[in-house]
Amino acid sequence: MKNSNRLASGGLIDRAKPLSFQFDGKTYQGYAGDTLASALLANNVQLVARSFKYHRPRGVLTAGSEEPNALVELRTGARHEPNVRATMAELYEGLNARSQNRWPSLAFDLGAVNSLLSPFFAAGFYYKTFMWPAAFWEKVYEPLIRRAAGLGKPPLSDDPDSYEKAFAHCDLLVIGAGPAGLAAALTAARSGARVILADEGPMLGGRLLSDRRIIGNQSGLDWVKAIEAELGSFPNVRIMPRTTIFGVYDHGVYGALERVNDHVATPPAHEPRQRAYRIYAKRAVLAAGAIERPHVFGNNDRPGVMLGSAMRTYLNRYAVVPTKRVAIFTSSDEGYATAQDLINAGASVQAIIDSRKDATISAPKDVPYFKGAKILRALGNRQVQGVEIELADGSTRILDCDGVAMSNGWNPAVHLTCHQGGRPVWDDKTNAFLPGKLPAGLSVAGAAQGHFSLKDTLTDGFRLGASAVDDLGFKAHAIAAPDTDPESLAHIPLWRVKTSKGKCFVDFQHDVTDTDIELANREGFRSVEHMKRYTTLGMATDQGKTSNISGLAILGEASGRSMAEVGTTIFRPPYTPVALGALAGHHVHKGFRPTRLTPSHQWAEEQGAVFMETGLWLRAQYFPKKKNESWLDAMNREVEITRSKVGVCDVSTLGKIDLQGKDVGTFLDRVYTGTFSTLPVGKVRYGLMMREDGFVQDDGTTARLSENRWLMTTTTAGAGKVMAHLEFCHQVLWPELDIAFTSVTEQWAQYSIAGPHARDVLKKLVDPQHDMSNEAFTYMACGAITICNGIPARLFRISFSGELAYEIGVPNRYGDALIRAIMKAGEEFGITPYGLEALSTMRIEKGHVAGGELNGQTTPRDLGLIKMVSQKKDCIGKHMSERPAMLDADRPIFVGLKPKNPQAKLTGGAHFLDKGAKPSLDNDLGHMMSVAYSPMLKSWIGLGIVKRGRERIGDTIRAVDFVRGTEFEVEICDPVFFDPQGERLRG
Amino acid sequence: MRIPCPFCGPRDSQEFSFLGQTGLKRPDPNAPDAQKQFHDYVHIRDNKAGLTKELWLHANGCRSWIVVERNTLTHEITGSEFASPLTKEAAQ
């Protein structure tokens, strides 16, 4: 049994390197150089898969990336990968593959019962069969369909391998390393141009690896070797095997996937499995070749039915006779070449069935030969056991065979030419769709252009390689194409055998038959785009590489239109499936969302802080004293100590923008609602920033450090957006202003020291020459100082907590030392560090707006801050925020909310309704934006917007949260819950 | 897509962020119909199919706001320049 279909010699496999592999638990042997498909065929494994819808037995149809049938699951555990084309999977020692979409086994698949139900599974069956009742969709139909139809299962754990993104640049990108591609690359390389030559396979040569040809005075293989060697000698040439160009994007950008380590069991250390490239190419030559067309006849999907070109590939490249008694079904002279290769390999050609009545080519000696004949159906189930043919005179007969080789002409691989919107054009001479409008900089050579003969292919390659680089100013020397051995390519396509018996598959992967297409036409889906979607023709992972054109032809026949009239759908990227992991590259997990750490992070970790993510930042949420202290207890403690003694918080994450120039004041007047030009040096002012549409986008304080130097702070989350906004205002709106600014967020570590003892702590740190008294350094003062014996620092007397508070900034490298120094200085006053929870609670107690309120849907008026909008000047957003509807008294406005029951746990997002009002849009009064438990008030409190809220202070309304299922009575109150006179912060 | 930044040269579009149509003049805030003008300035766009001038920010680059001349039908880019006339002048 071992390699029973392997020839004793020949092929491009390495017989010195036998490899063992498993398929469905059975161990087999192949050789280095095999694909999984060729190794399975060498072992006479014909049945390799079950089809998508009908679970029909399927074998290997092709020898390339267009394979629709032989999809398997490869590898095990976390490396398990579904839907791998066996024709592309290179064999390695220990390869483990399994068939998919079958139960309980490949040979006996219960799902095949779907075949009996096929009348229900015809085109559009989803729309018709499962119309009613609607509730059945979710509960019955969908689970049923999902279980019955499908491909492989996805892996359930994280992929342990890594993927990379890479970039490459060249003058000329050559796509495909067959004869045309090699010729193009050689001409360009000799001119000195930078060339990238990419091919999806592991070896250069294209069809020359599969057909025994003569070029000049040497074999095709020797010609490939010579060119490969010469290309390898150029420093300006990069050869990229196992690399698929999967997409053409604007401006000469090509997407490429390099399968760096798919051909080994596991990637070596520090190497990725795959690498996704963006290749920037000034010019490109598409030399992707062509894909042979199958015939559409009864049971044409039985294992053993194969493309003729694929059969020659298995014979010549892999030294495998896929099946030993073959019927050739051809509409092209190429079928005879297949017959000859089979005979040379010692196989039996049972007959040549040529659909052309007037074929002029003669059959090999002793081979039964039928002109004007057709195969009506294949016999057999898990492998072909014969064919029923119809002769020219209409009589039928049964022929014995175990395989069928189909040759029905070629479809140029025009896919990439469509990626910029080009539509292929039907050509009656070549009976093929040829490239239409091409992407800029791309030309098409060889079979992809419909020039199928080897000589024409070479001529194209040499010529287009030269003209592409000549365009760029290189001087290419013309190379004349060598002579090649004669070949005969005449063909008249046979789109389907109308008198077929049994199911005739057009799209093998999606189980679409010729009658499905007829049905679509009958039901009015006559446009190719409609037919495609109704039948799902060409919508599987192979994108219909072997099926689309036949499908169009059948639609044309059914609707009485020519191919040119029917036209074609277009191909979109990617050419072949690309793993999302490859597109993501290293941008996963922390590589996708890196963590930004505050200057006090290490210190906070030592204190046992619990951290939370805010944007990319990791900030201390609270500092539990004991292991099991809850966040609420810790927060209460931190607030109480801060409000009664002193606390410290890292506020370095706030955005900081350093602005300089004589016009900064004017600039700030225009971007902030308030006036800044009048701000004296050494003072800080709070600012509210709108977008031009009148909604608040950010807030923060801006300090005037000197006459022409200012420091703006933004919210943590808004820093990036504000920076881009300011750059827009400066560069686009008011370039005449003399200003320059840059982000210094990461250059400064900043701590807020807050509480009655804040000044006492500060005094111990600040160098003695600075007067820190309340009179000398007043509320909203700022200045440059030195601390701890000469370390430069900036001090701002600003308060978010409502306490006497200072923010002290030092160059980032002193951040860690400063937090430790503050804690030490504060020890005697009972200082506590406080986290985000306490910070947030204190600002809610003070009624300060923050993220929940600055949600992009609130105006200054909505936030109760209309007094902050200066009426003496214009600013960004002013006019828009003052449109009548924005100032409508019915528009909800900012208030505080207190539950009647202090322990009622309010929730953000709850909607407000009057007592007894039904929940409806009309009755909606507004919603809760922020909530906190206030240790000062011993009650939950909230901030939100309520219709006519300011006029309704003291009213009781309901806060209803349908999501969390809570409803509480709340009293509308002033948003400032604590120290409404602001006496503490001035003390 | 590649965008020719007048400062950095041709760069991949993923380095840029898009704002929209350019050539809009911020209205005079003192005009009698300023509110209407601002409404149009904020909301009304030509949304042309064909040759357009657009504002892009070279966010992961030199942080210049640039005006890119692009054909929305073909994605062909026929020119780019600094949005700020002063930078433009300085560059020349």
Side-chain angles (χ1 to χ4, degrees):
Chain A
M1 259 309 266
K2 248 189 189 178
N3 274 259
S4 56
N5 289 357
R6 185 83 70 178
L7 294 169
S9 64
L12 303 174
I13 50 167
D14 187 349
R15 288 171 202 263
K17 283 190 198 148
L19 303 170
S20 74
F21 68 99
Q22 284 197 353
F23 179 66
D24 276 346
K26 263 183 87 175
T27 304
Y28 299 95
Q29 202 200 63
Y31 293 104
D34 262 327
T35 61
L36 175 58
S38 70
L40 285 170
L41 290 170
N43 288 283
N44 201 29
V45 177
Q46 303 289 343
L47 170 63
V48 297
R50 287 277 172 171
S51 75
F52 180 64
K53 208 156 70 174
Y54 300 126
H55 292 248
R56 291 182 50 117
R58 290 285 166 83
V60 176
L61 179 71
T62 75
S65 62
E66 67 272 28
E67 178 62 33
N69 281 345
L71 306 185
V72 298
E73 293 177 346
L74 201 61
R75 299 187 171 87
T76 54
R79 288 196 166 86
H80 156 117
E81 188 183 350
N83 309 334
V84 173
R85 289 151 296 166
T87 52
M88 292 302 282
E90 292 176 55
L91 204 64
Y92 54 82
E93 178 60 33
L95 178 146
N96 184 323
R98 292 158 315 280
S99 56
Q100 53 192 35
N101 196 29
R102 83 290 189 270
W103 189 84
S105 77
L106 185 59
F108 179 74
D109 176 10
L110 279 178
V113 70
N114 282 6
S115 256
L116 304 176
L117 301 173
S118 61
F120 301 105
F121 282 97
F125 78 100
Y126 297 99
Y127 313 115
K128 294 180 215 160
T129 318
F130 302 132
M131 288 282 284
W132 183 89
F136 266 47
W137 253 115
E138 207 178 315
K139 294 205 174 84
V140 181
Y141 299 141
E142 196 181 320
L144 205 81
I145 295 167
R146 284 197 189 282
R147 210 170 311 135
L151 298 167
K153 293 187 183 71
L156 295 172
S157 42
D158 276 3
D159 190 337
D161 295 325
S162 67
Y163 297 80
E164 281 180 1
K165 290 192 211 182
F167 299 82
H169 298 255
C170 61
D171 295 309
L172 180 66
L173 169 66
V174 180
I175 303 160
L182 288 169
L186 184 69
T187 330
R190 284 184 183 168
S191 79
R194 287 198 300 168
V195 177
I196 292 177
L197 173 61
D199 193 279
E200 61 180 358
M203 297 169 78
L204 308 188
R207 277 301 307 167
L208 293 175
L209 302 171
S210 300
D211 289 323
R212 291 182 178 150
R213 304 301 305 270
I214 304 289
I215 297 177
N217 51 11
Q218 55 191 340
S219 75
L221 285 173
D222 286 340
W223 182 85
V224 171
K225 271 187 206 142
I227 296 205
E228 190 174 352
E230 186 176 345
L231 288 174
S233 72
F234 291 114
N236 50 318
V237 174
R238 178 169 181 187
I239 298 174
M240 298 179 72
R242 302 189 175 101
T243 301
T244 305
I245 306 297
F246 63 76
V248 183
Y249 303 93
D250 290 303
H251 312 142
V253 182
Y254 292 79
L257 181 73
E258 185 185 13
R259 287 172 296 277
V260 187
N261 281 306
D262 272 0
H263 61 294
V264 295
T266 53
H270 313 301
E271 279 193 30
R273 174 170 296 282
Q274 298 177 346
R275 198 177 276 137
Y277 278 89
R278 283 179 181 224
I279 299 178
Y280 301 97
K282 291 178 185 150
R283 294 286 182 278
V285 170
L286 177 66
I291 295 165
E292 199 170 26
R293 291 192 279 249
H295 280 105
V296 178
F297 60 88
N299 299 337
N300 58 341
D301 63 327
R302 290 294 183 229
V305 179
M306 187 180 276
L307 295 175
S309 57
M311 201 164 277
R312 299 203 299 279
T313 301
Y314 289 113
L315 290 169
N316 297 322
R317 178 170 175 177
Y318 300 108
V320 169
V321 187
T323 52
K324 291 189 169 145
R325 291 170 291 116
V326 181
I328 308 265
F329 189 14
T330 191
S331 304
S332 153
D333 288 357
E334 278 194 85
Y336 299 77
T338 309
Q340 192 57 57
D341 280 0
L342 281 164
I343 292 165
N344 294 347
S348 161
V349 176
Q350 301 292 87
I352 295 178
I353 301 128
D354 194 327
S355 64
R356 301 168 300 173
K357 283 199 183 74
D358 45 6
T360 52
I361 189 164
S362 52
K365 203 157 74 80
D366 300 334
V367 172
Y369 173 38
F370 306 99
K371 276 189 192 179
K374 294 161 191 140
I375 296 184
L376 297 181
R377 62 170 167 150
L379 307 172
N381 187 19
R382 290 177 215 159
Q383 184 173 356
V384 174
Q385 287 174 351
V387 288
E388 181 178 349
I389 65 170
E390 182 187 85
L391 302 183
D393 62 6
S395 65
T396 64
R397 69 165 73 176
I398 305 273
L399 288 178
D400 171 55
C401 64
D402 63 359
V404 176
M406 304 177 281
S407 286
N408 194 18
W410 297 79
N411 293 324
V414 299
H415 307 71
L416 294 181
T417 68
C418 301
H419 289 185
Q420 295 288 293
R423 253 173 211 279
V425 181
W426 180 255
D427 178 59
D428 278 327
K429 259 197 281 183
T430 47
N431 287 310
F433 275 103
L434 301 183
K437 187 174 178 290
L438 297 176
L442 181 88
S443 53
V444 189
Q449 183 60 44
H451 301 158
F452 295 115
S453 80
L454 181 54
K455 173 94 182 185
D456 289 351
T457 288
L458 291 168
T459 308
D460 263 13
F462 286 125
R463 182 175 56 85
L464 293 177
S467 61
V469 294
D470 281 349
D471 249 18
L472 301 172
F474 296 91
K475 290 228 161 11
H477 293 282
I479 304 176
D483 282 331
T484 60
D485 56 327
E487 61 190 313
S488 179
L489 296 165
H491 90 284
I492 300 166
L494 172 69
W495 296 117
R496 68 159 161 168
V497 180
K498 259 195 142 168
T499 45
S500 287
K501 299 175 177 172
K503 277 197 189 317
C504 308
F505 285 89
V506 181
D507 183 334
F508 293 83
Q509 201 184 342
H510 256 173
D511 274 353
V512 179
T513 64
D514 60 341
T515 54
D516 286 328
I517 298 168
E518 284 181 330
L519 181 67
N521 179 60
R522 266 204 313 280
E523 297 188 343
F525 298 92
R526 303 184 66 208
S527 139
V528 281
E529 301 288 354
H530 290 155
M531 181 276 281
K532 167 182 165 174
R533 283 159 184 85
Y534 196 57
T535 61
T536 71
L537 175 90
M539 291 173 74
T541 62
D542 67 342
Q543 279 202 50
K545 289 189 177 62
T546 53
S547 63
N548 274 353
I549 312 302
S550 310
L552 300 174
I554 292 166
L555 178 66
E557 187 191 279
S559 59
R561 289 176 294 171
S562 69
M563 280 299 251
E565 284 169 324
V566 171
T568 174
T569 56
I570 64 170
F571 300 98
R572 294 189 178 82
Y575 177 66
T576 48
V578 178
L580 287 176
L583 296 176
H586 283 301
H587 291 169
V588 291
H589 306 300
K590 286 293 166 198
F592 178 65
R593 267 178 71 84
T595 307
R596 299 175 83 179
L597 299 181
T598 61
S600 66
H601 185 82
Q602 197 189 334
W603 170 85
E605 242 178 5
E606 290 166 18
Q607 309 309 308
V610 173
F611 295 95
M612 75 185 292
E613 287 183 15
T614 56
L616 297 179
W617 291 100
L618 209 53
R619 297 181 73 179
Q621 185 183 1
Y622 58 98
F623 294 82
K625 235 184 169 170
K626 308 180 292 267
K627 266 247 161 78
N628 54 355
E629 192 182 23
S630 73
W631 73 267
L632 189 62
D633 290 344
M635 181 275 286
N636 286 340
R637 180 177 47 76
E638 289 167 20
V639 171
E640 277 162 10
I641 294 176
T642 301
R643 293 224 188 274
S644 64
K645 296 171 185 170
V646 62
V648 61
C649 180
D650 190 333
V651 292
S652 309
T653 62
L654 292 181
K656 306 179 203 76
I657 299 171
D658 188 326
L659 301 102
Q660 299 184 41
K662 67 177 168 50
D663 292 331
V664 173
T666 311
F667 182 67
L668 294 177
D669 285 350
R670 295 180 187 179
V671 297
Y672 273 137
T673 60
T675 306
F676 278 76
S677 49
T678 55
L679 185 68
V681 172
K683 285 288 180 189
V684 186
R685 194 163 281 172
Y686 174 75
L688 202 58
M689 197 181 281
M690 283 188 278
R691 302 187 305 237
E692 192 69 278
D693 64 5
F695 294 100
V696 176
Q697 67 166 324
D698 207 71
D699 71 342
T701 57
T702 292
R704 190 166 196 176
L705 301 174
S706 66
E707 182 63 24
N708 291 333
R709 185 165 196 183
W710 307 61
L711 184 74
M712 175 188 284
T713 66
T714 73
T715 61
T716 300
K721 246 190 279 177
V722 168
M723 188 70 190
H725 173 69
L726 297 184
E727 284 166 330
F728 171 82
C729 292
H730 177 220
Q731 295 178 32
V732 181
L733 297 183
W734 307 301
E736 70 281 3
L737 294 183
D738 176 21
I739 54 168
F741 50 90
T742 190
S743 164
V744 293
T745 303
E746 301 209 328
Q747 278 65 34
W748 291 85
Q750 198 145 313
Y751 298 100
S752 172
I753 305 172
H757 284 301
R759 188 180 295 117
D760 301 326
V761 176
L762 198 67
K763 273 183 177 165
K764 290 177 71 181
L765 298 166
V766 174
D767 290 342
Q769 68 271 27
H770 306 290
D771 185 355
M772 286 295 104
S773 68
N774 196 22
E775 297 71 34
F777 204 84
T778 55
Y779 178 57
M780 295 305 258
C782 72
I785 54 164
T786 59
I787 60 168
C788 305
N789 288 321
I791 292 167
R794 285 170 178 172
L795 191 64
F796 310 87
R797 189 171 162 190
I798 48 180
S799 176
F800 197 43
S801 57
E803 296 301 320
L804 165 66
Y806 298 85
E807 285 190 13
I808 180 163
V810 289
N812 198 296
R813 62 186 179 281
Y814 295 115
D816 180 74
L818 181 56
I819 185 66
R820 291 172 200 275
I822 293 171
M823 287 305 291
K824 205 170 156 213
E827 208 176 338
E828 62 176 292
F829 306 104
I831 195 168
T832 179
Y834 64 91
L836 276 183
E837 295 292 350
L839 178 86
S840 174
T841 296
M842 287 192 280
R843 74 97 185 163
I844 292 171
E845 285 179 335
K846 287 297 294 178
H848 290 313
V849 296
E853 293 75 36
L854 308 179
N855 61 5
Q857 300 175 331
T858 47
T859 64
R861 177 257 168 218
D862 300 343
L863 298 173
L865 299 172
I866 198 147
K867 283 193 184 137
M868 290 201 55
V869 184
S870 165
Q871 292 304 311
K872 294 188 189 136
K873 64 169 185 80
D874 176 52
C875 72
I876 294 278
K878 180 161 183 289
H879 273 291
M880 292 296 275
S881 71
E882 290 172 354
R883 284 172 296 166
M886 293 294 162
L887 299 176
D888 186 344
D890 270 349
R891 198 176 151 85
I893 193 162
F894 190 59
V895 289
L897 298 133
K898 245 185 339 205
K900 287 297 204 191
N901 169 8
Q903 297 315 307
K905 190 177 181 305
L906 301 181
T907 52
H911 274 254
F912 299 125
L913 292 165
D914 271 319
K915 281 190 228 169
K918 281 202 178 113
S920 72
L921 208 53
D922 286 341
N923 291 335
D924 186 34
L925 298 175
H927 68 274
M928 192 82 85
M929 291 169 149
S930 300
V931 298
Y933 178 78
S934 164
M936 295 295 110
L937 281 76
K938 305 277 182 258
S939 167
W940 283 86
I941 55 173
L943 299 173
I945 50 171
V946 177
K947 199 187 255 189
R948 296 193 177 262
R950 289 291 158 107
E951 300 158 32
R952 297 191 59 184
I953 302 282
D955 280 9
T956 298
I957 55 174
R958 294 146 61 212
V960 184
D961 187 334
F962 286 110
V963 178
R964 301 175 186 89
T966 59
E967 175 171 341
F968 301 114
E969 290 199 334
V970 290
E971 184 189 315
I972 304 173
C973 59
D974 190 89
V976 185
F977 293 90
F978 183 69
D979 185 26
Q981 304 309 318
E983 284 152 2
R984 301 172 72 94
L985 49 80
R986 290 191 171 77
Chain B
M1 214 159 87
R2 301 181 88 194
I3 295 175
C5 171
F7 188 76
C8 306
R11 306 294 306 170
D12 200 280
S13 61
Q14 62 187 346
E15 294 178 4
F16 296 80
S17 55
F18 175 76
L19 183 71
Q21 181 186 332
T22 185
L24 301 165
K25 200 174 146 26
R26 191 170 188 272
D28 173 6
N30 301 314
D33 62 340
Q35 210 163 69
K36 161 85 175 67
Q37 285 191 40
F38 267 99
H39 170 271
D40 291 356
Y41 169 69
V42 170
H43 293 301
I44 304 300
R45 295 292 179 272
D46 294 344
N47 195 22
K48 265 203 303 195
L51 205 61
T52 59
K53 284 190 168 190
E54 302 164 334
L55 275 168
W56 291 77
L57 171 66
H58 195 188
N60 295 322
C62 62
R63 300 211 52 104
S64 295
W65 279 96
I66 60 173
V67 175
V68 177
E69 196 179 78
R70 184 174 73 102
N71 189 323
T72 56
L73 294 174
T74 62
H75 286 189
E76 191 190 6
I77 291 179
T78 41
S80 75
E81 57 183 21
F82 291 111
S84 161
L86 295 182
T87 318
K88 217 187 304 178
E89 233 169 73
Q92 287 157 4

